[in-house]
Amino acid sequence: MNDILKLIANCVENGKIDRNTPYPPGMKGQDGADELTRLALDSGIKPEQILDGALVPAMAVVGDKFSRKEIYVPQMLMSAKAMNGAMKHLKPYFSTGETKRKGKVIIGTVAGDLHDIGKNLVAMMIEGGGWEVIDLGVDVSSEKFLKTIDENPGAFIGLSALLTTTMENMKKTVAAIREKHSGLKILVGGAPVTKEYCERIGADFYSPDPQGAVNYLKQFAE
Ligand code: B1M
């Protein structure tokens, strides 16, 4: 791995957001994910390389450490903040779609679930693919999805879930949408979600990554 990518990954793993944040004490005064990502982009490293070569693998390391009880929720949160510090520099590259929008996509993390890093990435990439994205955020109830669908008839729906417990809420949301709007296309994703689960709950498409969602939507572009 390129040196600067290693440094960025190290910041995300250790929750070093930017130069001014005193956490972690051992990295006080050093550049964080924020400054290093800017530097990497300015030195010509592609946004996709930063995402796939540093940020995503670093979050996987964080998840593994959490599973092994080597770190706890506060550290995981600092890592998420460091990732966001980097993501703010990548967003403009991923979300510069064509001016004319291809249609609308309503996206959100399902009820009970506060994870938004993956969902934000998917939203950015879909926006970059030329779609208008209505991002409802995290912990989104079925009612909120239904209300937004009423306000945006014909929109595509994207649901994200990161917890095995909230996959059940994904199922409930798909059922609630199907009951009122049988023809809408529903995309699902998130680490514990699979193609089989997508089929079982009656959603239309499962993608393990943002690009898969963008590619699926292409066939419906107006
Ligand atoms: Co949480 N967390 N977390 N967490 N967290 C996981 C998910 C976990 C796997 C960690 C672990 O145990 N190894 C575990 C879930 C276990 C399970 O259910 N099987 C877990 C747990 C247990 C919890 C808490 C319950 C911990 C606690 O409180 N005891 C708690 C739950 C809070 C809640 O939601 N109610 C919790 C809290 C948190 C933080 C708030 C601290 C923080 C989230 C901050 C934030 O998102 N703003 C956090 C984090 C950071 C993680 C890990 C470390 C990283 C998640 C992440 O951002 N990954 C995670 C471990 C891991 O995933 N390795 C973990 C990077 C991101 C780019 O990937 O989100 O998978 P991902 O998205 C991908 C794809 O899945 C896909 O595209 C994205 C880009 O490639 N994708 C879609 C996602 N949505 C899609 C939608 C699509 C298509 C593709 O179409 C619509």
Side-chain angles (χ1 to χ4, degrees):
M1 203 198 290
N2 179 310
D3 281 350
I4 194 156
L5 295 186
K6 274 188 201 154
L7 291 173
I8 295 171
N10 187 47
C11 287
V12 172
E13 282 175 41
N14 291 290
K16 179 69 179 165
I17 306 168
D18 57 32
R19 176 173 274 273
N20 295 328
T21 46
Y23 181 86
M27 294 174 81
K28 203 172 167 189
Q30 293 177 20
D31 281 346
D34 181 337
E35 293 86 4
L36 290 169
T37 302
R38 186 68 265 157
L39 193 65
L41 289 168
D42 291 345
S43 65
I45 298 180
K46 291 203 163 54
E48 299 81 17
Q49 280 176 281
I50 300 174
L51 184 63
D52 297 332
L55 304 179
V56 170
M59 286 312 267
V61 171
V62 172
D64 289 344
K65 284 187 182 169
F66 181 77
S67 298
R68 294 196 299 268
K69 296 195 169 44
E70 291 170 16
I71 60 163
Y72 296 91
V73 173
Q75 286 106 318
M76 204 154 72
L77 197 53
M78 293 310 285
S79 289
K81 287 188 176 170
M83 168 114 181
N84 285 333
M87 286 306 302
K88 73 175 183 208
H89 297 289
L90 303 191
K91 189 171 191 289
Y93 293 88
F94 292 135
S95 50
T96 45
E98 302 146 32
T99 327
K100 183 183 174 308
R101 297 292 164 176
K102 293 172 177 165
K104 291 184 185 180
V105 180
I106 300 168
I107 192 164
T109 304
V110 300
D113 200 321
L114 303 177
H115 296 86
D116 67 357
I117 295 175
K119 182 267 300 166
N120 291 346
L121 272 172
V122 175
M124 265 181 230
M125 302 293 272
I126 291 178
E127 202 182 342
W131 298 77
E132 179 181 341
V133 173
I134 301 167
D135 187 346
L136 300 181
V138 294
D139 190 17
V140 184
S141 64
S142 301
E143 294 73 27
K144 190 162 179 189
F145 275 109
L146 289 174
K147 183 171 176 286
T148 314
I149 292 168
D150 286 341
E151 291 162 0
N152 300 278
F156 291 78
I157 318 299
L159 306 178
S160 181
L162 261 286
L163 299 170
T164 40
T165 47
T166 55
M167 284 168 76
E168 186 58 26
N169 295 336
M170 177 177 264
K171 180 178 164 187
K172 286 181 187 158
T173 301
V174 170
I177 295 171
R178 284 276 173 260
E179 198 183 324
K180 280 192 79 182
H181 307 272
S182 56
L184 291 185
K185 297 289 181 209
I186 307 176
L187 289 74
V188 294
V193 181
T194 60
K195 187 169 182 288
E196 290 68 36
Y197 189 72
C198 164
E199 284 163 7
R200 189 149 25 102
I201 65 176
D204 295 285
F205 187 73
Y206 159 75
S207 173
D209 51 43
Q211 198 53 46
V214 174
N215 292 344
Y216 172 76
L217 286 169
K218 266 184 198 156
Q219 63 187 303
F220 304 105
E222 284 166 4

